Amino acid sequence: MAVVPPVSLIDLPTELFDAILSYLSKPDLCNIARVSSRHYESTLSRLYREVRLVDRHNPDALHGDDDHDDTDIIGVLMTLCKKPWLASKVIDLYHGCQVPPPDIFSFLPFESFKGRTLSHDPRLRGILKIAISHMVNVRTLTIIHGHFSITKELIRGLFHLGRKCQTPVRKLWVESSCFEEIWNSVSQEGTVAGLRSVRLRRMSVIEECYRNLWPEGLEISRGGRRLNYRSIPTMSTAMLQICDDATEQLEQAVEWDRVIYGKFPDIDDVTAKSVQDLPIPDHGNRGSWASPVSIIRSLFISSTDTLTSLNLDWLEGLGVSLEAIFRDLPLFPNLKAFQVRNAVTDETEIDPSVSLFEPESLFFHFIRNHQKIEYLAWPMRNFFPSSGEPLEDPRVVELISELGRRLKFLRIDAHLTIHEALTDESTGYDPRSARTSRRKVVRYLAPEMRYLEGLKIEGGVPKDEVRELLRGLSHCPLKKLVVLGFDYPLKDWWDNPPADENPPTAAQTKQSLSNRKFVPKYGKGLPLLDVIQWIYNDTMEELKFLGSHHVFCLNQSYPETIFSRVFSPLVRFRRLHELTLAFSLRTEHQGAEIAADVAGFWISSQSSAPRTGSSSDLTNTQRLAERDKHLRENFAPRKLAERVVEIMGRYLYICQRHEDRNFSPQTDGNSTTTSLTPLTSNSDSPDIPKVVSVRAYLRVNDNHTSEIFELGIGVRPDQSIAWIRGPYSELQREPQKVREWF
């Protein structure tokens, strides 16, 4: 018999090899590109489908730290300039600053986002223009806290009328950027026709001359006086800077750039290509100046025939501008997602007089005329006017019934408070009462929903209203639920819920809710997860509960009965494949706060760069060694992952199925312990996941501020760990899975 020679991986047919590449991480793809000449181009093509233009912190720059070193950005752009075939593979283009976006409460309303000392060198703009002309297939552009000049060039270049492309940009996400000036630069010679999805987030729709900006000039800058606003993630880099002397800072930036551009000796040869021949004119006076409201309207109108998703998220001044933006807009025949999100602060909330279900209102007609909307986000108090009975008007009844048949995802939020109330005890009869309007959502809207698969509740919604909203939605096959607030949603906030020696089954609960008219019962009740598991145990696939008050501390001991009381209902969610929970961490060591060291330890573990000490580090070598040992023993990713699984892994359905047993909250009168009952559900269902993805949001606090890191864990049925990812800081986190509405 002939012996079949072994087949090498690189000898596989191209289509099989490409299929394998789709499962590999970026580091693995880089390694293959280095060792396989045959598959070099196909591997690079996959690597460059998503390109990220992000600066970096350089602690070794001349005359101090350079928080915005463009070396990585220049390197990527030089590659795209020299290899047009590779630039043509770029589909998703991302630009952002390595400094996290400003805090939404303390700094976002005051930052100008101009940062004129960042990426200011004309050579960078030259190679960026050339790279844009080569990127003919960009479909998604995402800009989050981007550098002013790069953002301006990307917007103008990718949306220029004379741009030669095979596919126009389809999705646009702009966040924490100088909206007004950037868009005015493109309004005269640009076009956004063809956009399908637009998300504008954490910006201002107030004209800059009327904004309450800091007189000192708060903006991201190279040099200047440091303003520590998010100190934990990277210490010296997570800072805004106040521009004290623009001339002096520009001179310092030029000196830094002299060293940076010296690493690219051929950049002048590349930029020598006649940029005048490129269809992107230089900056200059573009004629009339439009207000942010006019710009947003123009953005929407230009994409009337193609727009499917329209998202306005945490926009300063939106409350007084919302009706002006949408008044007399044309019909969007393909609109599926309409979201006004995070209108939850004084700067962003909508006037109480604006109601979605007020028959004479602008937005009532907007929703009624766009009959393909399946994803809706709206402030909870702005659904119904506080006065009058909604069901008295047949037009309102008809629209509610229609939404009940087609909505798939609903997001509601309420004005943020330090603590969400257990119950709102206000009288509720004031015409501007938020309580009256919110409770109408629970009473009139929720019971009519039939096909809702996703629900997100955020902000200061009272705890009993969250519970009753979920009871009211009992007809829906909810698959995803997100509850975010200041208080941790899973805590038993009522302390002594009504005891029930014979709790109903899930089927009985659903039947009782469906066989009678739903009547909300506010006040005391069962813990939230208990309510959810009795209604949605057969459908729920993703659960996310986040808060900062009364969360479990990961490195603190608790009685097992506490974990059992909180997490035991998880065992009934047979289809659950993703669970996100909030935890805190204590980071004191030998009487000192080492939060920054813990964060630095995690961040350095995700990169090849050596970890350097922060300003809180001890210089004594022995003490440093002791600190590093303490970090490895107590804060290593695997240690934390094991602790998370120890706390709640045993309550996952797949783990209890593996042990052929189930925890069920069976209590008698005064007992708070959980007893074991047989597993009665169909354990052979193909919908049961093989591994549950658990994401732990770890809040790390120092004496001034806090930061959240995400730790991803794969939990197998035997409670072993399949994989660990992170902990990642906000800007380190892997790209989120594609939002269905974006």
Side-chain angles (χ1 to χ4, degrees), residues 2-259:
V3 178
V4 179
V7 178
S8 170
L9 180 65
I10 62 175
D11 293 329
L12 289 174
T14 303
E15 58 273 15
L16 290 181
F17 192 79
D18 287 343
I20 294 173
L21 292 180
S22 65
Y23 292 95
L24 299 184
S25 64
K26 284 193 173 183
D28 291 334
L29 290 171
C30 290
N31 290 334
I32 292 177
R34 292 189 183 103
V35 300
S36 173
S37 58
R38 176 183 174 186
H39 295 288
Y40 174 78
E41 290 193 5
S42 60
T43 305
L44 277 188
S45 297
R46 184 168 291 276
L47 269 171
Y48 275 80
R49 288 184 182 181
E50 179 187 352
V51 165
R52 296 174 64 85
L53 303 176
V54 183
D55 60 354
R56 71 183 185 188
H57 171 232
N58 180 6
D60 301 319
L62 294 172
H63 313 301
D65 294 357
D66 182 1
D67 289 338
H68 305 282
D69 186 314
D70 285 333
T71 300
D72 295 341
I73 295 177
I74 297 169
V76 172
L77 292 177
M78 289 287 284
T79 300
L80 298 178
C81 289
K82 295 176 181 179
K83 298 181 178 180
W85 69 269
L86 194 55
S88 69
K89 305 297 182 183
V90 178
I91 297 176
D92 299 326
L93 183 59
Y94 173 93
H95 168 56
C97 179
Q98 61 92 15
V99 172
D103 174 80
I104 54 179
F105 301 107
S106 304
F107 294 99
L108 180 65
F110 308 109
E111 186 179 344
S112 70
F113 301 116
K114 288 185 177 178
R116 298 184 186 276
T117 61
L118 275 60
S119 307
H120 73 287
D121 194 287
R123 288 170 290 184
L124 190 147
R125 294 202 300 270
I127 60 175
L128 180 54
K129 288 180 179 180
I130 297 171
I132 289 173
S133 70
H134 293 166
M135 291 187 286
V136 295
N137 287 305
V138 174
R139 299 175 191 171
T140 302
L141 175 62
T142 304
I143 301 174
I144 299 179
H145 208 207
H147 293 185
F148 178 72
S149 73
I150 292 182
T151 301
K152 198 168 186 176
E153 211 63 66
L154 286 172
I155 296 293
R156 297 176 68 245
L158 291 171
F159 294 105
H160 190 265
L161 280 170
R163 176 178 176 244
K164 297 179 181 179
C165 63
Q166 297 177 14
T167 18
V169 176
R170 296 298 190 188
K171 300 180 180 181
L172 176 66
W173 181 326
V174 183
E175 176 176 342
S176 298
S177 296
C178 185
F179 183 79
E180 184 175 0
E181 187 161 335
I182 289 170
W183 282 100
N184 269 291
S185 70
V186 74
S187 60
Q188 298 300 314
E189 73 275 344
T191 176
V192 290
L195 276 176
R196 294 176 181 170
S197 180
V198 176
R199 186 181 196 191
L200 305 178
R201 187 170 190 252
R202 295 188 179 184
M203 299 191 295
S204 179
V205 294
I206 302 174
E207 293 187 53
E208 187 162 314
C209 59
Y210 298 113
R211 290 187 67 201
N212 187 26
L213 299 176
W214 280 19
E216 298 94 336
L218 181 64
E219 63 184 41
I220 49 177
S221 174
R222 300 172 81 181
R225 178 156 43 99
R226 293 182 180 277
L227 183 63
N228 189 344
Y229 80 107
R230 293 179 72 172
S231 64
I232 288 183
T234 51
M235 288 304 290
S236 64
T237 64
M239 299 183 181
L240 292 173
Q241 295 177 334
I242 296 176
C243 295
D244 296 314
D245 187 336
T247 302
E248 180 181 342
Q249 291 172 29
L250 187 59
E251 291 174 353
Q252 186 176 36
V254 170
E255 186 67 17
W256 279 331
D257 283 342
R258 183 182 61 79
V259 178

Side-chain angles (χ1 to χ4, degrees), residues 591-606:
E593 177 57 65
I594 61 168
D597 297 320
V598 172
F601 171 65
W602 291 340
I603 291 173
S604 64
S605 69
Q606 311 302 327

Side-chain angles (χ1 to χ4, degrees), residues 338-355:
F338 174 63
Q339 305 197 70
V340 177
R341 299 155 56 102
N342 282 313
V344 292
T345 64
D346 293 339
E347 296 82 11
T348 64
E349 67 179 353
I350 303 172
D351 190 277
S353 63
V354 177
S355 298

Side-chain angles (χ1 to χ4, degrees), residues 350-642:
I350 303 172
D351 190 277
S353 63
V354 177
S355 298
L356 198 66
F357 291 116
E358 169 58 53
E360 305 305 325
S361 74
L362 170 66
F363 295 100
F364 180 88
H365 294 285
F366 184 90
I367 294 295
R368 188 171 65 174
N369 292 336
H370 292 85
Q371 300 184 4
K372 293 183 179 180
I373 290 178
E374 298 176 347
Y375 302 85
L376 177 64
W378 195 255
M380 192 173 184
R381 77 167 185 176
N382 293 98
F383 276 92
F384 293 94
S386 57
S387 59
E389 285 296 320
L391 301 188
E392 292 178 355
D393 193 312
R395 295 171 296 176
V396 175
V397 175
E398 180 183 1
L399 182 56
I400 291 176
S401 178
E402 182 182 326
L403 288 177
R405 293 191 297 270
R406 57 181 164 91
L407 282 188
K408 291 184 178 179
F409 189 94
L410 177 65
R411 171 183 167 134
I412 59 175
D413 46 40
H415 193 281
L416 289 172
T417 56
I418 298 301
H419 293 280
E420 293 80 42
L422 291 176
T423 187
D424 189 340
E425 296 179 347
S426 62
T427 60
Y429 296 108
D430 188 310
R432 298 173 65 86
S433 170
R435 188 190 86 158
T436 302
S437 298
R438 290 195 313 269
R439 291 191 174 184
K440 286 182 179 180
V441 175
V442 177
R443 181 179 178 184
Y444 298 117
L445 180 64
E448 299 302 318
M449 297 294 105
R450 290 296 181 269
Y451 301 102
L452 211 62
E453 297 180 358
L455 174 67
K456 186 171 185 178
I457 307 170
E458 185 169 3
V461 183
K463 298 176 177 64
D464 59 347
E465 293 179 21
V466 172
R467 182 193 69 226
E468 294 308 301
L469 178 64
L470 287 163
R471 291 183 63 243
L473 292 169
S474 62
H475 295 288
C476 299
L478 276 186
K479 297 180 180 179
K480 179 178 181 178
L481 173 64
V482 181
V483 184
L484 290 80
F486 183 85
D487 293 329
Y488 191 45
L490 295 188
K491 183 182 182 301
D492 179 8
W493 291 96
W494 303 102
D495 294 328
N496 295 301
D500 190 347
E501 296 183 4
N502 299 297
T505 65
Q508 291 172 336
T509 303
K510 286 186 176 181
Q511 186 177 13
S512 64
L513 286 172
S514 61
N515 286 347
R516 57 183 174 81
K517 183 178 180 180
F518 171 69
V519 178
K521 297 179 180 179
Y522 299 105
K524 273 193 172 185
L526 289 170
L528 184 62
L529 195 56
D530 286 59
V531 175
I532 299 168
Q533 57 114 356
W534 291 121
I535 304 173
Y536 304 108
N537 66 314
D538 288 327
T539 60
M540 196 65 70
E541 298 176 0
E542 298 180 39
L543 289 170
K544 184 175 184 178
F545 302 102
L546 296 181
S548 57
H549 184 56
H550 280 286
V551 300
F552 287 117
C553 182
L554 209 56
N555 48 3
Q556 179 177 327
S557 299
Y558 297 89
E560 180 58 37
T561 53
I562 294 181
F563 294 143
S564 174
R565 185 72 188 99
V566 172
F567 294 120
S568 59
L570 287 174
V571 77
R572 296 188 179 275
F573 297 102
R574 294 186 288 276
R575 299 182 179 181
L576 186 68
H577 63 75
E578 185 171 308
L579 174 66
T580 303
L581 301 171
F583 295 93
S584 65
L585 276 175
R586 299 181 61 181
T587 53
E588 302 89 358
H589 178 56
Q590 296 180 346
E593 177 57 65
I594 61 168
D597 297 320
V598 172
F601 171 65
W602 291 340
I603 291 173
S604 64
S605 69
Q606 311 302 327
S607 65
S608 57
R611 182 164 58 95
T612 59
S614 70
S615 59
S616 63
D617 289 333
L618 301 173
T619 57
N620 182 277
T621 303
Q622 183 178 357
R623 297 291 295 275
L624 284 173
E626 292 176 358
R627 183 209 61 182
D628 288 345
K629 180 181 178 182
H630 176 75
L631 292 174
R632 291 192 302 272
E633 291 180 349
N634 296 278
F635 298 100
R638 178 158 287 275
K639 290 283 186 182
L640 299 174
E642 290 172 349

